[in-house]
Amino acid sequence: NGVSGPSASVVVGFLVGDVSGNRVVNATDVGTVKGQSGVAVTASNFKSDLSANGTINATDVGVVKGASGTSLN
């Protein structure tokens, strides 16, 4: 109809390895992924499957270790 409404901006951040959701990748995240290694992926631990291959394993631990120290501002 040619009429435009108000606009809004939304900022979305995604930090690989931040399985705790606190905007920082640290030892807590590494420990969480290590603790889930070898466990079947479920709706409650899917964030630990960082490689998104359906298995939580050493690859996922390596990804979170590699991202350790990073954060979202």
Side-chain angles (χ1 to χ4, degrees):
N1 65 13
V3 177
S4 63
S7 65
S9 297
V10 176
V11 177
V12 176
F14 180 78
L15 183 60
V16 173
D18 180 21
V19 297
S20 65
N22 67 351
R23 301 172 59 97
V24 177
V25 182
N26 55 27
T28 300
D29 301 299
V30 174
T32 298
V33 176
K34 278 185 175 181
Q36 294 295 314
S37 187
V39 176
V41 177
T42 66
S44 63
N45 70 1
F46 70 94
K47 291 182 188 178
S48 292
D49 183 16
L50 297 164
S51 61
N53 66 356
T55 304
I56 302 170
N57 57 26
T59 300
D60 303 300
V61 175
V63 170
V64 74
K65 281 184 173 181
S68 188
T70 59
S71 65
L72 291 174
N73 296 329

